[in-house]
Each structure stands twice: as C-alpha cells, then as structure tokens.
Amino acid sequence: MLIFTPRTIQSNHWVLIGPLISIILTIMIGALIFKMLNYPVTESLYQVFISPFSRVDRIADILVKACPLIIIGIGLIFCFRANIWNIGAEGQFIIGTLCAGSFALLFPENNNHILLLSMFLVGFLGGALWASIPAILKIKLNVNEILVSLMLVYVAMLFIDFIVRGPLRDPMSFGFPLSKPYPDGAIISKINFPGIGYLGQLHYGIISILFLAPFSWFLINRTLPGFQIKVFGSAPKASSFAGFNKNKITLGVLIMSGGMAGLAGVIEVSANMGQLQPEVSFGYGFTAIIVAFLGRLNPYGVIIAGLVIATAKLGADNAQMILGIPKVVTGIFEGILLFFLLAGETIQNYKVSLKRNS
Amino acid sequence: MDNKNSKTLLKASGLTKKFGSFVANDSINIEIKKGEIHALLGENGAGKSTLVKMFYGLLDPDEGNIKFNNKIVNLLNPKFARTMGIGMVFQHFSLFPALSVSENILISLDEKLTKKQLEKSIINTSKKWGLKVSPSKKVAELSVGEQQRVEIVRCLLQKPKLLIMDEPTSVLSPQEIVNLFKVLKNLSKSGCSILYISHKLHEIKEIASKVTILKSAKVVDTMETKNVSTNILAEKMVGKKIIRLKGKKNLKKLSSNLALSVNNLYRFKRNQFGVTLNNINFTIDYGQVLGIAGIAGNGQVELMEALSGETLGKKEEIIFENKSIGNSKIEFRRQLGIEFVPEERNNHATVPDLKLHENTFLTFFGYHIFNKSFFNKMFTNPTLSIQASKQIEKKNDVRCPYDNPLAKQLSGGNLQKFIIGRAFQANPKLVIISQPTWGVDIGAANIIRQKILNLASMGKAIILISQDLDEIFELSDSIGVISNGNLSKIKNKKNMTPTQVGLLMGVS
C-alpha cells in the first residue's frame, strides 16, 4: 500500500526536479507508444521533441505558436487564483478578435499604427465584455460561471461564423467566408532582423509578452487587488473578514482574463491572418487552461509552459508530415505531461512511502 | 499478574503511531478494567485522539499491540471494532441534519432492522438509560445535547463493552452534564467500561475512578482519581506549574463611559441550519469585559458576523460612540477602532497559505500602519507589514518554526496569540472576541486571558463570546447568555452563578 504523508517543510529541489522528471517520463512513455504503433522510435522522438529546435526559424515558429497561449494563459491566472473558473477563454478570444477586426474594417485606407493600438483596446474590451456576462450572472443570480463561460464559447463561434459569412463578407472573396483584408495600419508585421532577414513567422506581437508577464506578476504580487485575489481564492471567509468586496473581485478577474484573451486574438489575427475568417482560434483558449496550470499560475511559469506545449504541437506537425504519425499524438503528449506534472506536485507536497499490508 | 478482582477488558502495550517524522503516540501502555470509568487526560495535541482512534479501528498502530478480553486483536476498521464491542461518541457528531433520528441510526447500524423494530429498540434503550430521544424528529431540529444523546443511543444499541467518549461535555450546559454523568455511572455499574477523554480536571475527578495522563505523545502517569488533587493533575498534564491570572483593575465609573450599544438587532438566518438573531439588546462600557455565554450553535457565529459587519442590517441597530454603524462594513468599523477575533482561526481570521506578514496586512491594510493615500491603498508594502508582524510576534510570544512562516505552520495556540495580538496591535477601543481559547493549550490560553484582562484594565471594552463557562466567569464583569438566537438580560457577574447561567442556556 502507498502511504502519503504531508511534508512539513516544502521540498525546494522538487520544485525544479519535478517538472524535469515529468518531461523525461513523458518522452519515455512517448517512445513506448511509438514502439507499439510500429513507428521508428528514435526518428519519431527526434521529430516530435528535437526537430522544432533544429533550425532558428523553427525556434521562431515555436514563439509564434506559443504567443496566444501565453497571453491567454497569463490572463487566466487571475481567474484561477481567485478560484473563478473561466473555461471560456476561447469565446473571449473570438469576440475580442471580432470586435477589433470590425473596428479595423471601418477604416479601410488607414495605414497608421494608432489604429492597431486602438484595436488592442477594442479587442481587450470585447473579450472583457464577453467574460463579464458570466461574472454578472454569477454575482446577481449565483449562476455557475463554468457553464456560462463554456456555453458562450459556442455562441461566439457561431456568431463570428455568421458575421463573416454575412455582414462582413468580402464581395471579392469568390464566395469564401472571409472578410476584407485589414488595412495596413491594422497589421502586425514580421520582424526583419538586420542582416538575417525574417525568421519564420516571428512577428512584433511577441514583444507584448515582455510587458504583460512582468506587469501581471507585479499586479498579483505587489498590489492590493492582487492580494485580494489571492486571499479570496484561498479563503473566501477571510476575504470578507478583511473587508474585500467579492463581487468586485469576481468581476475584476473575469474582465482581466477575458480582456487578455481578446488581446491575444487581436495579435494572432493581425499578425498571421490579416483578415477575419470563421476559424480564428484553433482551440488556443482551451489549451491555455492547461498552460496556466502547467505554469503553476505564475506569469513566468506560463511563458515556459506555453513554449513547451507549443513545441509539442509543432513537433507533432513535423511528425505527421514526415512520418505520417497522426497529429492527435500531441493531445496524448499534453495529457501525459499534465498527468506527470500533477503527480510531481503530489510528490512535492507529500512524502510517499511503500508499506506492506500485514 | 493483576491481583485485583476486576478483570482487564482492554490492554494496550507499547502502542506507537507516527505521522511522517511526527510521533503522535510513543509506546503507550494503558489498561482498562471491566466496568471502569477511565479518564484520558491531556492537552490538545498530546495524542489522546490518536490513541482512541487506534482503539476504534480508525488508525493502524505502527508498533505495539492491543489486547481485548486477553486476546491480541487487529482492529481493522470501525465496523470490526464495533463487532468486538467497542463504541465511540465523537466530539464532532456524524449525523445527517436532514434525516430523522431513527434514519440516522439505521444507516450506521451493522445489523439490518425494520424501521418499526428499530424505533422500538431506540425507545427501549433510551428509557432504560434515561436518555431522552424521539426517533421521528429530524436531527436539524435537535439541540447539541439531544444530538449527543442520539449518538450515545446509537452506540448502546450495539451493546458495547467499551464506550469511548471524546470530550463529551464541551458542548453541554451544566444541567446536561449532570444528566450525562448519571448515565455514564449507570452504564459502568452495568459492566460497560468507559474511556472518557477530557481536559477538564474537575470532571475527571467527579466521574472517573482512574486517570491516565498523556503529555507530548507519552504516558506521564496513571493514577487513582481519589488520591489526587486537580492541581497535581494539571501540573502533570502541562508539565509545569500553572500561574494564576492577575485580576483586572476596575476603572472609576464615568458618566460617559458607554462604548457600544446594540438595539433590537435582528438577522434572519442565512440557511435552514443557521440561527435567527432575535431582538438582541445590550450595552458595554469602557474598561469592562462583557461575557456572552452559550452552547455552540445558538447564534454566536451570527452575532459575531453582525457585530463585525460581515452581515449588515439597519443603521440604528448598532451604535458605537454615538455613531450608527449597523449598516457599515467591517473596514469602516475597524477605522472607528473596533477589532475582531472570529472563532475560526483558519480560513476566517487568517489565510493558512499566506505568510504571517501577509496575514497582518489582511486586517491592517490601509488603516493602521498605512495612511490612506491612493498610492498606499493600491500597493502592498511588504517591508511595513513584515515590521508590524514582527512586533506582534514579539509582544505576544508567538513562537514560529522559522522566520515569517505560513499561518498554517504555526500551532493552534501560537496562531491564536498572533490573531489576538494583531487585533490589539491596532490599538482598538473595543475588541470583540469569539472563543479565544478554544482548542488552545493551557499555557497559551492563560497568556491570552491575561491579555484580555490587561486590555480591559487599560480602559478598553471587550466583548467575549465563549462557550467555556469557567472562562466567562474568570474574565467577565457582566454576563449575558445567548440561546437559540436570543440574548438574556445582561447581569453583573456578582449576581450570577454558573447554575443560573446553565439554566439560561435553556436546553432541557
């Protein structure tokens, strides 16, 4: 029988070793799966885990892929720390994108980047607005925010589909459900490194993370609202004893995470698509939930987690192209990795020992 | 060999139980004779609960053995313990409030009976032992004392040879205690042994013939209660001499001494298990300690929340220094100079997963150590709150395992000293304290009580809500009793006796 005894003092080296072991174990299980499916083991592992790092432009693509995951993930930290379960970042991403995109299309000839900056604001507000629906329903009617935020994802998906096929369809799109292309002022350009040129799809939007992560860290750890979120999330009664307003906290964290998801959508579409289409997100909002937890609800941790998950996704793309391994293996790797990381967390908090039953 | 004529029922030898590196029981030896009332005395954390949990099959000993009727037994689980003839009444009852008494008993009964048969045997058992219970009533409608009787009847239906009772009197009124003791004595006369866990010394002298004293996981002594004074018991339990409290100085009565008055305070219960506060009226002067006695669950939590501002009501219900504050929030009341120490230490008064300085910040923010500029309201300032929490630790002898620990890493007593210290650090005019020494070891409890008296001597007003009658009588100048959401008339302590207070607690 396994016996779990809580550790009295947190084991510091496990915080570092834990994730490392998890990754190694994930690779080992991955090898086993490839073996069982009769794929060449070394080659497959190489494609999934190493090839994304094999060229500079591929590394750049990891950053591009990770960008929306990280931005949404950072936003979700606020909710999850307050024990508010926003499962609908996908929908907030879509609505943010839609609002900002429609706004951009109002100024077809604009080539001033003030337009882009105002799109950030509009996208943030759009996502925040979408997220404030579950917040207000929870505050006023005590409706479960998990259900509302999740269901609003599907509303958002259908809504953008309708808009792009209907009111905003480009007459020149030959029947494709696409909007007109964004004006130049709404486009985030690729980074042109002097002497090197472009690196994959690497774009300026990635820089936003350099602001958002420290900003969020500061907000959480050094400000009163951040403190209120922490207290409310771990002991609601203590939060009311301190005199914190739980409605304000609930609304605040949902606005923050919805807004960040919207912002992520604006950056993603302005950098990579340049127009609205029915599918603007590819499950980023859902994957970001895993990213937020893998990153231990810490903005810097979320950056690392976002990169890890993005690597796995790109690696799976490579493996599919070169070896014909189905892309769904990423899903399996994400699952296994999450599993081991959670198991690692248990080892951090508990001492596990084996005991034979008498 | 045992040369007395009474036979041994249960004998434990060398029982050891460890939780990780923490030793909860260290080679315990204890022997319980047939028909004996054997008391187990010890402070919180001495290892009493761990020991009896091993007797009841809830925990597995790491070393040592338990002999029951001279045979070594391996008590796998509570069900097995019950079939052996061991019953237990827990301190916290395990009854479903929404079910009736007989339904509750039916679920836990190992043998299957029809409802009629069961009700009949419940009534028979309760008549035989003088334990009044009505099988068809819902548990939610029962008082705590009645619930305890249900638990006892439930055990007795299994015809136990050993009945374990964990702190049974902590929730009872004096009258109920008298009745309980009668029942226990009758049981022991009929041959049932009783293992009686308590830290109340006079009770042990009164009911038990033998007492085993535990301290820091070890047996200190086993002795006959006849030959020992409560003082000696206390010293053995604590391991040092008990210091008596210094009484408080009484201030000269001034005409404008009134601190707080509560007028017709009414709060409807939050849910079906809550208590409605009905027309509460009292006043308190500066320099006074007002004790509010009562059995747990009679509205103390609701009263505390109303006084602190966690629930709000009409403006005129609470008047502090001529200001009507019945509808003002807790942070505003703190600003006026009122501080609060709620009953629950964890998750209410403190956040277990936050460090002490953050827990200081919890109630101090913006008002006492910080001024109220926008800048200071928006940002936490760790340096200032670390300073403040260091001061609290120093002034109140809060012992930390290391520098600035998480709240959950402090022992109960030290955490309580911290919480009370935090309230006093704010230099309040009025402090409202609920159950300050509940579950706190005697040493810390004495320090806390002395602090309360000292504060009153300095002219502060203190409202003390406590279910510990000794504490109420030791500290208070005047006493009121809360029962089922009603507060009795406040009387001077000199005109009150514990029996009167017990009657006001109002439980049959």
Side-chain angles (χ1 to χ4, degrees), chain A residues 5 8 218 221-225 227 230-231 234-235 237-238 240-244 355, chain B residues 20 310 330-331 334 340 342 344 347-348 351 358 361-363 365 377-380 422:
Chain A
T5 16
T8 34
F218 184 80
N221 291 294
R222 287 287 179 272
T223 66
L224 185 58
F227 182 73
K230 261 195 289 190
V231 171
S234 85
K237 273 178 92 176
S240 85
F241 179 64
F244 302 156
K355 189 189 169 193
Chain B
E310 283 165 273
I330 185 165
E331 59 266 35
R334 283 205 184 97
F340 313 93
E344 274 180 75
N347 290 318
H348 193 181
V351 184
E358 293 172 299
F361 187 75
L362 195 65
T363 64
F365 81 92
K377 271 199 125 176
M378 278 309 287
F379 300 104
T380 60
R422 181 179 65 183

Side-chain angles (χ1 to χ4, degrees), chain A residues 220-301:
Chain A
I220 290 167
N221 291 294
R222 287 287 179 272
T223 66
L224 185 58
F227 182 73
Q228 293 180 333
I229 290 169
K230 261 195 289 190
V231 171
F232 180 69
S234 85
K237 273 178 92 176
S239 146
S240 85
F241 179 64
F244 302 156
N245 184 329
K246 77 174 186 196
N247 293 345
K248 272 190 197 161
I249 297 173
T250 306
L251 186 64
V253 295
L254 274 159
I255 281 180
M256 200 63 200
S257 82
M260 293 277 255
L263 192 62
V266 177
I267 292 173
E268 177 69 10
V269 173
S270 286
N272 295 326
M273 298 171 191
Q275 63 193 148
L276 290 174
Q277 51 189 58
E279 292 243 315
V280 287
S281 174
F282 302 94
Y284 291 132
F286 293 120
T287 309
I289 296 171
I290 301 179
V291 170
F293 278 104
L294 284 189
R296 295 170 174 282
L297 303 186
N298 174 317
Y300 299 116

Side-chain angles (χ1 to χ4, degrees), chain B residues 97-324:
Chain B
L99 297 183
S100 75
V101 169
S102 59
E103 284 165 335
N104 262 293
I105 294 180
L106 193 65
I107 317 173
S108 66
L109 221 49
D110 294 327
E111 53 179 329
K112 288 286 158 256
L113 293 173
T114 65
K115 209 172 170 186
K116 259 198 180 155
Q117 286 171 317
L118 180 68
E119 284 190 358
K120 213 173 136 192
S121 56
I122 292 175
I123 289 166
N124 283 341
T125 313
S126 69
K127 265 193 192 145
K128 182 173 170 192
W129 299 109
L131 291 156
K132 251 191 281 167
V133 293
S134 36
S136 50
K137 258 197 185 173
K138 271 201 181 154
V139 166
E141 299 163 19
L142 303 183
S143 73
V144 189
E146 284 172 290
Q147 291 184 28
Q148 187 182 55
R149 292 202 288 271
V150 174
E151 291 266 5
I152 297 174
V153 167
R154 172 152 93 176
C155 282
L156 293 182
L157 283 173
Q158 322 242 11
K159 307 208 168 48
K161 301 187 187 100
L162 172 64
L163 185 64
I164 303 170
M165 305 215 58
D166 192 358
E167 305 262 356
T169 57
S170 59
V171 291
L172 300 184
S173 71
Q175 284 77 8
E176 286 176 312
I177 294 175
V178 172
N179 282 333
L180 175 71
F181 282 4
K182 260 187 221 156
V183 174
L184 294 184
K185 279 180 178 152
N186 283 335
L187 270 170
S188 105
K189 264 181 215 149
S190 78
C192 176
S193 310
I194 290 158
L195 182 58
Y196 185 92
I197 304 169
S198 182
H199 62 251
K200 293 187 186 163
L201 307 159
H202 54 268
E203 276 181 10
I204 286 178
K205 282 265 312 166
E206 188 182 339
I207 182 107
S209 54
K210 245 196 199 159
V211 55
T212 295
I213 303 154
L214 290 185
K215 177 174 160 38
S216 346
K218 288 189 179 132
V219 172
V220 180
D221 207 346
T222 297
M223 42 181 42
E224 305 266 334
T225 52
K226 268 186 296 193
N227 313 322
V228 61
S229 70
T230 48
N231 266 338
I232 291 173
L233 282 178
E235 279 168 22
K236 291 211 178 227
M237 169 168 78
V238 183
K240 58 185 175 211
K241 289 220 183 271
I242 309 283
I243 302 155
R244 285 186 60 94
L245 295 186
K246 276 178 267 168
K248 89 182 224 308
K249 282 180 279 178
N250 271 318
L251 298 180
K252 258 188 243 160
K253 182 113 179 135
L254 300 171
S255 54
S256 60
N257 233 352
L258 184 69
L260 182 89
S261 76
V262 171
N263 313 304
N264 300 328
L265 177 82
Y266 175 85
R267 287 282 187 289
F268 190 71
K269 59 187 171 186
R270 244 174 320 172
N271 57 43
Q272 57 172 324
F273 306 124
V275 178
T276 300
L277 293 180
N278 228 332
N279 215 15
I280 304 262
N281 286 290
F282 67 84
T283 59
I284 174 166
D285 291 346
Y286 283 120
Q288 298 281 300
V289 180
L290 166 65
I292 295 181
I295 296 158
N298 270 287
Q300 290 93 330
V301 174
E302 287 82 358
L303 179 61
M304 186 71 190
E305 284 175 348
L307 293 177
S308 71
E310 283 165 273
T311 60
L312 301 177
K314 281 194 221 114
K315 209 173 165 189
E316 312 76 40
E317 280 179 335
I318 304 170
I319 294 169
F320 177 69
E321 292 189 331
N322 297 325
K323 289 184 204 73
S324 303

Side-chain angles (χ1 to χ4, degrees), chain B residues 407-431:
Chain B
K408 68 176 176 191
Q409 287 162 330
L410 290 188
S411 73
N414 279 310
L415 185 58
Q416 188 70 350
K417 282 190 275 182
F418 169 79
I419 294 167
I420 289 180
R422 181 179 65 183
F424 292 177
Q425 183 75 9
N427 194 22
K429 297 174 185 163
L430 164 67
V431 187

Side-chain angles (χ1 to χ4, degrees), chain A residues 143-283:
Chain A
V143 182
N144 186 314
E145 78 278 10
I146 301 176
L147 292 176
V148 178
S149 64
L150 179 62
M151 289 192 293
L152 282 174
V153 171
Y154 304 106
V155 176
M157 282 175 170
L158 292 171
F159 189 57
I160 193 172
D161 199 78
F162 160 72
I163 294 288
V164 175
R165 284 172 203 278
L168 282 189
R169 179 191 291 203
D170 184 359
M172 311 293 283
S173 71
F174 306 106
F176 286 107
L178 294 170
S179 76
K180 280 187 184 149
Y182 282 4
D184 288 347
I187 297 286
I188 297 174
S189 48
K190 310 268 180 285
I191 305 177
N192 191 355
F193 292 92
I196 307 172
Y198 298 109
L199 284 180
Q201 304 293 313
L202 196 63
H203 55 75
Y204 283 105
I206 212 90
I207 295 169
S208 62
I209 294 172
L210 299 181
F211 293 106
L212 291 174
F215 172 72
S216 304
W217 186 91
F218 184 80
L219 210 57
I220 290 167
N221 291 294
R222 287 287 179 272
T223 66
L224 185 58
F227 182 73
Q228 293 180 333
I229 290 169
K230 261 195 289 190
V231 171
F232 180 69
S234 85
K237 273 178 92 176
S239 146
S240 85
F241 179 64
F244 302 156
N245 184 329
K246 77 174 186 196
N247 293 345
K248 272 190 197 161
I249 297 173
T250 306
L251 186 64
V253 295
L254 274 159
I255 281 180
M256 200 63 200
S257 82
M260 293 277 255
L263 192 62
V266 177
I267 292 173
E268 177 69 10
V269 173
S270 286
N272 295 326
M273 298 171 191
Q275 63 193 148
L276 290 174
Q277 51 189 58
E279 292 243 315
V280 287
S281 174
F282 302 94

